[in-house]
Amino acid sequence: MIDPVPGDRRPAVSPQLALRISAVGLVAFLLFSVLFFRLWYLQVLDGDSYRVQANSNRSRVETLPAARGSIVDRNGEPLVQNTAAVVARLRPDSLPASEKEAAADYGDKVIERAKLSKRRQGPEISIPAVPPDFAPRVQRLARTLGMRVATIQERIIRGLFLAGYAPVTIKANLPEDVAGFILERPKQFPGVETPQVLLRAYPQRSLAAQIFGTTNQISPEQLKERYYRERKVRPGTVIGRSGVEAAFDDYLRGTDGRQTLRVDAQGNPRGNGRVIEPTPGRGVQLTLDLDLQKAADAAYRRVAGNLDGAFVALDPRNGAILATGSFPTYDPTLLARPISDRRYKAIFEPKDGSAGPLLDRVSQSLYPAASTFKIVTALAGFDEGLITPSSTYADTGCIVFGGDKRRACNSGGGKGNGEINVATALKVSSDTFFYDLGLRLFEKRGEPLQKWARRLGFGRITGNDLGGETKGNVPDAAWRRRVGQIEIDCRKKNKIPLSAPSDVAGTRNCGLYDVGPFTLGEAVNLAVGQGALQTNPLQLAVAYAALANGGRIVRPHLGSKVIDDTGAVLQPIPAEKSRKIKIPAAFRSAIMDGLHRSASEPGGTSADVFSNSTPPWNQKRFPIFGKTGTAENVAQVIDQSWYVAYSYDRSPERKPIVVVVTAEKGRFGADTAAPIARLILSAWFGVKAAVVRGASETK
């Protein structure tokens, strides 16, 4: 037997201590038993009820869109406003992963295609088919909404691609009974909401449709832009994408609100939490005059019928746009609501090759100016000392020029006009007078004709407050070198000899330009606004406004004032400053004399339009300074009709207006454009309207 280790002396456990330890252990056992039983009860016996409560204890923050401000005309008449509508929309978080993956794959393909040149892009990326696990839901929704499955799928895919975080609107203007049917069956329509929203409405329908632009939810790419980050624009915010909506978005947009919703596991609302009310946007008053706009629109349709074209009227003192129209036009309501790709293409992408109604031909077109450009040639001739207001030219009807003895004649048979000065040349629109002037300007250094064209705004943007305008082209030596090099590069790439004719080169997308220096023939064409000169009605309006106001190149603008919902003015919208060019009084007087005689004296190219009516136009009270133009456009078999007019009521400070009208395939300027302009002027001055067409004119 081994003795215990010395010093290890433990006291024996007494019966009383053992009893106490047993009691404590029993109590601990009972407590743990109760806790275990309670946990078992909660998880097993009553687990389902608590699971339901837990699933219901969720919240979702929703955006409360701010109402966009209204857009009104100069007199407060509504042009764009809001209307309440019930919509059917689908929450992205309710979609299966297969649908989200399909949308992501579609988006990747669209982005990759956009990176390619137009020649290499090929057909548009098709919308993927509805995944099998999502098909029953889409089919059920299609039957309920009376829509095609393909249309719903298209809107979901495009919506996820453009703004994957935002609900996708499937249908607008939902009938109340359909909305109620969906609302009462959340399990059959998971993720489908039927809120009441504000949509843009256009009480004037197609009037000035191209200027208003569109709105849409901000895209993920735009959210990263500094402009929107500085303004703390949140995902889901509706912003202006183009036109007036984009140009004045800071005023119109307002600030979205937010509300916290308590929802169940399926996202169905179970009560409201905190609400931050949205702040509505402010209104914008434009310079447009609705009465003039209606009259101008009706005048164009009355005279030009279905011809493509445009008109613009502005105040030559400050560039305020009083009326503007582009044809064909459209009802902008179509783009304020979901539209199928098939319908969009049918309306906005005509198969006949025309530009379609989305193009604003006032500022985004490219046309030769024809004889309306002759005022530029006259100013250049004055400035170079080649002509004076009293100097004359013997107009025999034709002119021969160049080493190859090319012959150019007055249009209309080459009839001569005898000894004429610059005012008479403008009155009768003598081509040979300006051909000869163009030849002499070509011999001067510094390209004076091109210099004056650019001074007056040709070949450069006008700086209008909507943007998106075309720059146009004033052909010169630098332009000729540039396009010549494009042709050389194209032919080298396609192994086509430079000596090959254009029709041969054209089979491989070359042959678009000549190779060589700026020629005498091109100078002659430019002098009468033909050839490679490209402009638009807004540029012409600015040029003639400068002539009318004595040399100020105004900035055309539509924005006038910021207003509240009562129409009270909050602040003016500042217009860009005009620049000044020097037009000597004697030069201006001679040109204005020619333009007035053109519209008022027998033999003037537009005189019949203003005199052949009962009563005739009151030239003493409303003097007309007008210029016709008939453009030979290579893209058209029939000539294009132009007319530019400036007038006022007794004094240049009383209701001054510049009107520019063009009608593609409208033939002579006095046939179509001038009668439209007369009707517009009649509406502006409140005189009796009459449609009178000119007997004939030259280019």
Side-chain angles (χ1 to χ4, degrees), residues 299 302-303 608-617 670-683 686-694:
R302 181 179 176 185
V303 178
D608 288 348
V609 174
F610 291 93
S611 62
N612 289 354
S613 62
T614 305
W617 186 269
D671 280 351
T672 306
I676 296 170
R678 170 172 176 158
L679 292 174
I680 295 173
L681 292 167
S682 297
V687 300
K688 184 178 179 180
V691 178
V692 181
R693 298 177 187 269

PDB file of all heavy atoms in Angstrom, residues 299 302-303 608-617 670-683 686-694:
ATOM      1  N   ALA A 299     -50.650  76.668 -91.700  1.00  0.00           N
ATOM      2  CA  ALA A 299     -50.228  77.226 -92.980  1.00  0.00           C
ATOM      3  C   ALA A 299     -49.364  76.240 -93.751  1.00  0.00           C
ATOM      4  O   ALA A 299     -49.529  76.066 -94.966  1.00  0.00           O
ATOM      5  CB  ALA A 299     -49.465  78.530 -92.745  1.00  0.00           C
ATOM      6  N   ARG A 302     -51.515  73.441 -95.047  1.00  0.00           N
ATOM      7  CA  ARG A 302     -52.443  73.929 -96.064  1.00  0.00           C
ATOM      8  C   ARG A 302     -51.776  74.065 -97.424  1.00  0.00           C
ATOM      9  O   ARG A 302     -52.363  73.731 -98.460  1.00  0.00           O
ATOM     10  CB  ARG A 302     -53.005  75.282 -95.608  1.00  0.00           C
ATOM     11  CG  ARG A 302     -54.008  75.926 -96.554  1.00  0.00           C
ATOM     12  CD  ARG A 302     -54.478  77.243 -95.950  1.00  0.00           C
ATOM     13  NE  ARG A 302     -55.368  77.970 -96.851  1.00  0.00           N
ATOM     14  CZ  ARG A 302     -55.841  79.191 -96.598  1.00  0.00           C
ATOM     15  NH1 ARG A 302     -55.498  79.795 -95.461  1.00  0.00           N
ATOM     16  NH2 ARG A 302     -56.633  79.791 -97.457  1.00  0.00           N
ATOM     17  N   VAL A 303     -50.545  74.550 -97.451  1.00  0.00           N
ATOM     18  CA  VAL A 303     -49.858  74.814 -98.710  1.00  0.00           C
ATOM     19  C   VAL A 303     -48.980  73.641 -99.152  1.00  0.00           C
ATOM     20  O   VAL A 303     -49.008  73.224-100.311  1.00  0.00           O
ATOM     21  CB  VAL A 303     -49.001  76.091 -98.604  1.00  0.00           C
ATOM     22  CG1 VAL A 303     -48.253  76.345 -99.903  1.00  0.00           C
ATOM     23  CG2 VAL A 303     -49.869  77.287 -98.245  1.00  0.00           C
ATOM     24  N   ASP A 608     -45.683  88.676-106.430  1.00  0.00           N
ATOM     25  CA  ASP A 608     -47.041  88.190-106.665  1.00  0.00           C
ATOM     26  C   ASP A 608     -47.665  87.599-105.402  1.00  0.00           C
ATOM     27  O   ASP A 608     -48.876  87.691-105.198  1.00  0.00           O
ATOM     28  CB  ASP A 608     -47.036  87.128-107.766  1.00  0.00           C
ATOM     29  CG  ASP A 608     -46.789  87.723-109.148  1.00  0.00           C
ATOM     30  OD1 ASP A 608     -46.849  88.960-109.268  1.00  0.00           O
ATOM     31  OD2 ASP A 608     -46.508  86.947-110.084  1.00  0.00           O
ATOM     32  N   VAL A 609     -46.839  86.998-104.575  1.00  0.00           N
ATOM     33  CA  VAL A 609     -47.341  86.371-103.353  1.00  0.00           C
ATOM     34  C   VAL A 609     -47.974  87.410-102.429  1.00  0.00           C
ATOM     35  O   VAL A 609     -48.935  87.120-101.717  1.00  0.00           O
ATOM     36  CB  VAL A 609     -46.198  85.623-102.623  1.00  0.00           C
ATOM     37  CG1 VAL A 609     -46.660  85.100-101.274  1.00  0.00           C
ATOM     38  CG2 VAL A 609     -45.679  84.488-103.491  1.00  0.00           C
ATOM     39  N   PHE A 610     -47.439  88.639-102.462  1.00  0.00           N
ATOM     40  CA  PHE A 610     -47.938  89.668-101.550  1.00  0.00           C
ATOM     41  C   PHE A 610     -48.873  90.679-102.218  1.00  0.00           C
ATOM     42  O   PHE A 610     -49.575  91.415-101.521  1.00  0.00           O
ATOM     43  CB  PHE A 610     -46.755  90.400-100.906  1.00  0.00           C
ATOM     44  CG  PHE A 610     -45.992  89.544 -99.951  1.00  0.00           C
ATOM     45  CD1 PHE A 610     -44.880  88.824-100.373  1.00  0.00           C
ATOM     46  CD2 PHE A 610     -46.393  89.413 -98.624  1.00  0.00           C
ATOM     47  CE1 PHE A 610     -44.183  88.008 -99.493  1.00  0.00           C
ATOM     48  CE2 PHE A 610     -45.705  88.594 -97.748  1.00  0.00           C
ATOM     49  CZ  PHE A 610     -44.596  87.887 -98.174  1.00  0.00           C
ATOM     50  N   SER A 611     -48.891  90.724-103.533  1.00  0.00           N
ATOM     51  CA  SER A 611     -49.734  91.723-104.201  1.00  0.00           C
ATOM     52  C   SER A 611     -51.001  91.148-104.803  1.00  0.00           C
ATOM     53  O   SER A 611     -52.016  91.850-104.901  1.00  0.00           O
ATOM     54  CB  SER A 611     -48.930  92.433-105.307  1.00  0.00           C
ATOM     55  OG  SER A 611     -48.506  91.514-106.300  1.00  0.00           O
ATOM     56  N   ASN A 612     -50.977  89.885-105.213  1.00  0.00           N
ATOM     57  CA  ASN A 612     -52.129  89.298-105.901  1.00  0.00           C
ATOM     58  C   ASN A 612     -53.170  88.772-104.926  1.00  0.00           C
ATOM     59  O   ASN A 612     -53.419  87.570-104.817  1.00  0.00           O
ATOM     60  CB  ASN A 612     -51.683  88.176-106.842  1.00  0.00           C
ATOM     61  CG  ASN A 612     -50.943  88.710-108.035  1.00  0.00           C
ATOM     62  OD1 ASN A 612     -50.851  89.912-108.234  1.00  0.00           O
ATOM     63  ND2 ASN A 612     -50.407  87.809-108.846  1.00  0.00           N
ATOM     64  N   SER A 613     -53.748  89.660-104.158  1.00  0.00           N
ATOM     65  CA  SER A 613     -54.816  89.275-103.245  1.00  0.00           C
ATOM     66  C   SER A 613     -55.714  90.487-103.044  1.00  0.00           C
ATOM     67  O   SER A 613     -55.363  91.609-103.394  1.00  0.00           O
ATOM     68  CB  SER A 613     -54.257  88.813-101.898  1.00  0.00           C
ATOM     69  OG  SER A 613     -53.547  89.871-101.260  1.00  0.00           O
ATOM     70  N   THR A 614     -56.885  90.265-102.509  1.00  0.00           N
ATOM     71  CA  THR A 614     -57.829  91.344-102.240  1.00  0.00           C
ATOM     72  C   THR A 614     -58.152  91.378-100.757  1.00  0.00           C
ATOM     73  O   THR A 614     -58.806  90.466-100.245  1.00  0.00           O
ATOM     74  CB  THR A 614     -59.124  91.150-103.047  1.00  0.00           C
ATOM     75  OG1 THR A 614     -58.789  91.020-104.438  1.00  0.00           O
ATOM     76  CG2 THR A 614     -60.057  92.327-102.860  1.00  0.00           C
ATOM     77  N   PRO A 615     -57.695  92.418-100.030  1.00  0.00           N
ATOM     78  CA  PRO A 615     -56.802  93.476-100.529  1.00  0.00           C
ATOM     79  C   PRO A 615     -55.375  92.962-100.586  1.00  0.00           C
ATOM     80  O   PRO A 615     -55.042  91.971 -99.958  1.00  0.00           O
ATOM     81  CB  PRO A 615     -56.959  94.567 -99.462  1.00  0.00           C
ATOM     82  CG  PRO A 615     -57.229  93.803 -98.208  1.00  0.00           C
ATOM     83  CD  PRO A 615     -58.061  92.616 -98.612  1.00  0.00           C
ATOM     84  N   PRO A 616     -54.501  93.666-101.357  1.00  0.00           N
ATOM     85  CA  PRO A 616     -53.091  93.253-101.385  1.00  0.00           C
ATOM     86  C   PRO A 616     -52.428  93.541-100.050  1.00  0.00           C
ATOM     87  O   PRO A 616     -52.955  94.280 -99.216  1.00  0.00           O
ATOM     88  CB  PRO A 616     -52.499  94.120-102.508  1.00  0.00           C
ATOM     89  CG  PRO A 616     -53.387  95.321-102.573  1.00  0.00           C
ATOM     90  CD  PRO A 616     -54.764  94.823-102.225  1.00  0.00           C
ATOM     91  N   TRP A 617     -51.262  92.963 -99.850  1.00  0.00           N
ATOM     92  CA  TRP A 617     -50.516  93.164 -98.605  1.00  0.00           C
ATOM     93  C   TRP A 617     -50.186  94.645 -98.417  1.00  0.00           C
ATOM     94  O   TRP A 617     -49.781  95.329 -99.359  1.00  0.00           O
ATOM     95  CB  TRP A 617     -49.232  92.341 -98.645  1.00  0.00           C
ATOM     96  CG  TRP A 617     -48.476  92.376 -97.345  1.00  0.00           C
ATOM     97  CD1 TRP A 617     -47.503  93.253 -96.995  1.00  0.00           C
ATOM     98  CD2 TRP A 617     -48.642  91.504 -96.236  1.00  0.00           C
ATOM     99  NE1 TRP A 617     -47.046  92.983 -95.733  1.00  0.00           N
ATOM    100  CE2 TRP A 617     -47.729  91.909 -95.231  1.00  0.00           C
ATOM    101  CE3 TRP A 617     -49.466  90.410 -95.979  1.00  0.00           C
ATOM    102  CZ2 TRP A 617     -47.618  91.265 -94.009  1.00  0.00           C
ATOM    103  CZ3 TRP A 617     -49.363  89.760 -94.764  1.00  0.00           C
ATOM    104  CH2 TRP A 617     -48.450  90.180 -93.789  1.00  0.00           C
ATOM    105  N   ALA A 670     -41.261  80.691-104.645  1.00  0.00           N
ATOM    106  CA  ALA A 670     -42.522  81.422-104.676  1.00  0.00           C
ATOM    107  C   ALA A 670     -43.730  80.498-104.800  1.00  0.00           C
ATOM    108  O   ALA A 670     -44.864  80.928-104.584  1.00  0.00           O
ATOM    109  CB  ALA A 670     -42.522  82.420-105.837  1.00  0.00           C
ATOM    110  N   ASP A 671     -43.495  79.242-105.137  1.00  0.00           N
ATOM    111  CA  ASP A 671     -44.603  78.297-105.283  1.00  0.00           C
ATOM    112  C   ASP A 671     -45.118  77.783-103.945  1.00  0.00           C
ATOM    113  O   ASP A 671     -46.323  77.632-103.744  1.00  0.00           O
ATOM    114  CB  ASP A 671     -44.171  77.093-106.130  1.00  0.00           C
ATOM    115  CG  ASP A 671     -44.205  77.402-107.618  1.00  0.00           C
ATOM    116  OD1 ASP A 671     -44.716  78.474-107.977  1.00  0.00           O
ATOM    117  OD2 ASP A 671     -43.702  76.579-108.403  1.00  0.00           O
ATOM    118  N   THR A 672     -44.209  77.487-103.034  1.00  0.00           N
ATOM    119  CA  THR A 672     -44.600  76.810-101.795  1.00  0.00           C
ATOM    120  C   THR A 672     -44.154  77.557-100.541  1.00  0.00           C
ATOM    121  O   THR A 672     -44.972  77.901 -99.689  1.00  0.00           O
ATOM    122  CB  THR A 672     -44.022  75.381-101.773  1.00  0.00           C
ATOM    123  OG1 THR A 672     -44.401  74.693-102.958  1.00  0.00           O
ATOM    124  CG2 THR A 672     -44.535  74.609-100.568  1.00  0.00           C
ATOM    125  N   ALA A 673     -42.843  77.806-100.419  1.00  0.00           N
ATOM    126  CA  ALA A 673     -42.326  78.392 -99.174  1.00  0.00           C
ATOM    127  C   ALA A 673     -42.839  79.809 -98.941  1.00  0.00           C
ATOM    128  O   ALA A 673     -43.221  80.168 -97.827  1.00  0.00           O
ATOM    129  CB  ALA A 673     -40.798  78.372 -99.192  1.00  0.00           C
ATOM    130  N   ALA A 674     -42.845  80.649 -99.986  1.00  0.00           N
ATOM    131  CA  ALA A 674     -43.281  82.038 -99.812  1.00  0.00           C
ATOM    132  C   ALA A 674     -44.759  82.142 -99.401  1.00  0.00           C
ATOM    133  O   ALA A 674     -45.099  82.929 -98.510  1.00  0.00           O
ATOM    134  CB  ALA A 674     -43.006  82.839-101.081  1.00  0.00           C
ATOM    135  N   PRO A 675     -45.680  81.391-100.028  1.00  0.00           N
ATOM    136  CA  PRO A 675     -47.071  81.453 -99.559  1.00  0.00           C
ATOM    137  C   PRO A 675     -47.244  81.026 -98.099  1.00  0.00           C
ATOM    138  O   PRO A 675     -48.071  81.589 -97.381  1.00  0.00           O
ATOM    139  CB  PRO A 675     -47.799  80.492-100.509  1.00  0.00           C
ATOM    140  CG  PRO A 675     -46.973  80.493-101.747  1.00  0.00           C
ATOM    141  CD  PRO A 675     -45.559  80.613-101.277  1.00  0.00           C
ATOM    142  N   ILE A 676     -46.462  80.042 -97.668  1.00  0.00           N
ATOM    143  CA  ILE A 676     -46.529  79.641 -96.257  1.00  0.00           C
ATOM    144  C   ILE A 676     -46.058  80.787 -95.372  1.00  0.00           C
ATOM    145  O   ILE A 676     -46.689  81.112 -94.345  1.00  0.00           O
ATOM    146  CB  ILE A 676     -45.666  78.387 -96.015  1.00  0.00           C
ATOM    147  CG1 ILE A 676     -46.212  77.193 -96.790  1.00  0.00           C
ATOM    148  CG2 ILE A 676     -45.599  78.061 -94.519  1.00  0.00           C
ATOM    149  CD1 ILE A 676     -45.290  75.989 -96.787  1.00  0.00           C
ATOM    150  N   ALA A 677     -44.940  81.414 -95.761  1.00  0.00           N
ATOM    151  CA  ALA A 677     -44.421  82.531 -94.983  1.00  0.00           C
ATOM    152  C   ALA A 677     -45.434  83.661 -94.901  1.00  0.00           C
ATOM    153  O   ALA A 677     -45.595  84.303 -93.852  1.00  0.00           O
ATOM    154  CB  ALA A 677     -43.109  83.025 -95.591  1.00  0.00           C
ATOM    155  N   ARG A 678     -46.142  83.927 -96.008  1.00  0.00           N
ATOM    156  CA  ARG A 678     -47.147  84.990 -95.972  1.00  0.00           C
ATOM    157  C   ARG A 678     -48.231  84.676 -94.950  1.00  0.00           C
ATOM    158  O   ARG A 678     -48.677  85.563 -94.203  1.00  0.00           O
ATOM    159  CB  ARG A 678     -47.772  85.191 -97.353  1.00  0.00           C
ATOM    160  CG  ARG A 678     -48.971  86.127 -97.252  1.00  0.00           C
ATOM    161  CD  ARG A 678     -49.581  86.579 -98.522  1.00  0.00           C
ATOM    162  NE  ARG A 678     -50.780  87.383 -98.204  1.00  0.00           N
ATOM    163  CZ  ARG A 678     -51.316  88.260 -99.027  1.00  0.00           C
ATOM    164  NH1 ARG A 678     -50.779  88.470-100.212  1.00  0.00           N
ATOM    165  NH2 ARG A 678     -52.396  88.931 -98.680  1.00  0.00           N
ATOM    166  N   LEU A 679     -48.687  83.456 -94.907  1.00  0.00           N
ATOM    167  CA  LEU A 679     -49.720  83.085 -93.934  1.00  0.00           C
ATOM    168  C   LEU A 679     -49.208  83.236 -92.502  1.00  0.00           C
ATOM    169  O   LEU A 679     -49.952  83.641 -91.607  1.00  0.00           O
ATOM    170  CB  LEU A 679     -50.183  81.651 -94.190  1.00  0.00           C
ATOM    171  CG  LEU A 679     -50.969  81.414 -95.487  1.00  0.00           C
ATOM    172  CD1 LEU A 679     -51.242  79.935 -95.673  1.00  0.00           C
ATOM    173  CD2 LEU A 679     -52.272  82.203 -95.478  1.00  0.00           C
ATOM    174  N   ILE A 680     -47.942  82.901 -92.281  1.00  0.00           N
ATOM    175  CA  ILE A 680     -47.362  83.062 -90.943  1.00  0.00           C
ATOM    176  C   ILE A 680     -47.296  84.538 -90.572  1.00  0.00           C
ATOM    177  O   ILE A 680     -47.649  84.940 -89.446  1.00  0.00           O
ATOM    178  CB  ILE A 680     -45.967  82.419 -90.889  1.00  0.00           C
ATOM    179  CG1 ILE A 680     -46.064  80.900 -91.087  1.00  0.00           C
ATOM    180  CG2 ILE A 680     -45.279  82.728 -89.554  1.00  0.00           C
ATOM    181  CD1 ILE A 680     -44.724  80.202 -91.213  1.00  0.00           C
ATOM    182  N   LEU A 681     -46.871  85.377 -91.512  1.00  0.00           N
ATOM    183  CA  LEU A 681     -46.809  86.819 -91.268  1.00  0.00           C
ATOM    184  C   LEU A 681     -48.206  87.387 -91.043  1.00  0.00           C
ATOM    185  O   LEU A 681     -48.405  88.283 -90.208  1.00  0.00           O
ATOM    186  CB  LEU A 681     -46.127  87.515 -92.438  1.00  0.00           C
ATOM    187  CG  LEU A 681     -44.637  87.205 -92.611  1.00  0.00           C
ATOM    188  CD1 LEU A 681     -44.145  87.692 -93.974  1.00  0.00           C
ATOM    189  CD2 LEU A 681     -43.819  87.841 -91.499  1.00  0.00           C
ATOM    190  N   SER A 682     -49.191  86.890 -91.784  1.00  0.00           N
ATOM    191  CA  SER A 682     -50.570  87.339 -91.595  1.00  0.00           C
ATOM    192  C   SER A 682     -51.042  87.064 -90.178  1.00  0.00           C
ATOM    193  O   SER A 682     -51.686  87.909 -89.550  1.00  0.00           O
ATOM    194  CB  SER A 682     -51.490  86.635 -92.602  1.00  0.00           C
ATOM    195  OG  SER A 682     -51.151  86.959 -93.931  1.00  0.00           O
ATOM    196  N   ALA A 683     -50.717  85.884 -89.665  1.00  0.00           N
ATOM    197  CA  ALA A 683     -51.115  85.542 -88.308  1.00  0.00           C
ATOM    198  C   ALA A 683     -50.405  86.419 -87.279  1.00  0.00           C
ATOM    199  O   ALA A 683     -51.004  86.848 -86.283  1.00  0.00           O
ATOM    200  CB  ALA A 683     -50.817  84.072 -88.037  1.00  0.00           C
ATOM    201  N   GLY A 686     -51.903  89.890 -87.568  1.00  0.00           N
ATOM    202  CA  GLY A 686     -53.347  89.940 -87.421  1.00  0.00           C
ATOM    203  C   GLY A 686     -54.073  90.483 -88.632  1.00  0.00           C
ATOM    204  O   GLY A 686     -55.075  91.197 -88.496  1.00  0.00           O
ATOM    205  N   VAL A 687     -53.575  90.171 -89.827  1.00  0.00           N
ATOM    206  CA  VAL A 687     -54.238  90.631 -91.046  1.00  0.00           C
ATOM    207  C   VAL A 687     -54.874  89.441 -91.754  1.00  0.00           C
ATOM    208  O   VAL A 687     -54.578  88.285 -91.450  1.00  0.00           O
ATOM    209  CB  VAL A 687     -53.245  91.346 -91.987  1.00  0.00           C
ATOM    210  CG1 VAL A 687     -52.640  92.558 -91.307  1.00  0.00           C
ATOM    211  CG2 VAL A 687     -52.147  90.393 -92.456  1.00  0.00           C
ATOM    212  N   LYS A 688     -55.728  89.745 -92.714  1.00  0.00           N
ATOM    213  CA  LYS A 688     -56.455  88.707 -93.425  1.00  0.00           C
ATOM    214  C   LYS A 688     -55.504  87.777 -94.155  1.00  0.00           C
ATOM    215  O   LYS A 688     -54.604  88.218 -94.860  1.00  0.00           O
ATOM    216  CB  LYS A 688     -57.430  89.336 -94.419  1.00  0.00           C
ATOM    217  CG  LYS A 688     -58.318  88.323 -95.139  1.00  0.00           C
ATOM    218  CD  LYS A 688     -59.281  89.031 -96.075  1.00  0.00           C
ATOM    219  CE  LYS A 688     -60.154  88.004 -96.797  1.00  0.00           C
ATOM    220  NZ  LYS A 688     -61.109  88.673 -97.739  1.00  0.00           N
ATOM    221  N   ALA A 689     -55.700  86.495 -93.983  1.00  0.00           N
ATOM    222  CA  ALA A 689     -54.823  85.509 -94.606  1.00  0.00           C
ATOM    223  C   ALA A 689     -55.277  85.212 -96.022  1.00  0.00           C
ATOM    224  O   ALA A 689     -56.464  85.220 -96.332  1.00  0.00           O
ATOM    225  CB  ALA A 689     -54.820  84.222 -93.773  1.00  0.00           C
ATOM    226  N   ALA A 690     -54.323  84.979 -96.894  1.00  0.00           N
ATOM    227  CA  ALA A 690     -54.618  84.595 -98.268  1.00  0.00           C
ATOM    228  C   ALA A 690     -53.494  83.720 -98.777  1.00  0.00           C
ATOM    229  O   ALA A 690     -52.333  83.928 -98.436  1.00  0.00           O
ATOM    230  CB  ALA A 690     -54.763  85.833 -99.151  1.00  0.00           C
ATOM    231  N   VAL A 691     -53.829  82.727 -99.579  1.00  0.00           N
ATOM    232  CA  VAL A 691     -52.819  81.871-100.197  1.00  0.00           C
ATOM    233  C   VAL A 691     -52.632  82.329-101.632  1.00  0.00           C
ATOM    234  O   VAL A 691     -53.524  82.190-102.464  1.00  0.00           O
ATOM    235  CB  VAL A 691     -53.231  80.386-100.162  1.00  0.00           C
ATOM    236  CG1 VAL A 691     -52.175  79.542-100.864  1.00  0.00           C
ATOM    237  CG2 VAL A 691     -53.405  79.918 -98.731  1.00  0.00           C
ATOM    238  N   VAL A 692     -51.483  82.918-101.910  1.00  0.00           N
ATOM    239  CA  VAL A 692     -51.158  83.386-103.257  1.00  0.00           C
ATOM    240  C   VAL A 692     -49.806  82.807-103.639  1.00  0.00           C
ATOM    241  O   VAL A 692     -48.836  82.945-102.900  1.00  0.00           O
ATOM    242  CB  VAL A 692     -51.103  84.928-103.327  1.00  0.00           C
ATOM    243  CG1 VAL A 692     -50.779  85.368-104.749  1.00  0.00           C
ATOM    244  CG2 VAL A 692     -52.421  85.532-102.879  1.00  0.00           C
ATOM    245  N   ARG A 693     -49.739  82.183-104.789  1.00  0.00           N
ATOM    246  CA  ARG A 693     -48.483  81.603-105.245  1.00  0.00           C
ATOM    247  C   ARG A 693     -47.857  82.496-106.313  1.00  0.00           C
ATOM    248  O   ARG A 693     -48.553  83.136-107.103  1.00  0.00           O
ATOM    249  CB  ARG A 693     -48.701  80.193-105.807  1.00  0.00           C
ATOM    250  CG  ARG A 693     -49.245  79.219-104.777  1.00  0.00           C
ATOM    251  CD  ARG A 693     -49.508  77.863-105.403  1.00  0.00           C
ATOM    252  NE  ARG A 693     -50.182  76.971-104.475  1.00  0.00           N
ATOM    253  CZ  ARG A 693     -49.566  76.134-103.646  1.00  0.00           C
ATOM    254  NH1 ARG A 693     -48.246  76.097-103.627  1.00  0.00           N
ATOM    255  NH2 ARG A 693     -50.244  75.356-102.851  1.00  0.00           N
ATOM    256  N   GLY A 694     -46.526  82.538-106.327  1.00  0.00           N
ATOM    257  CA  GLY A 694     -45.820  83.337-107.322  1.00  0.00           C
ATOM    258  C   GLY A 694     -45.936  82.725-108.698  1.00  0.00           C
ATOM    259  O   GLY A 694     -46.106  81.506-108.851  1.00  0.00           O
TER     260      GLY A 694
END
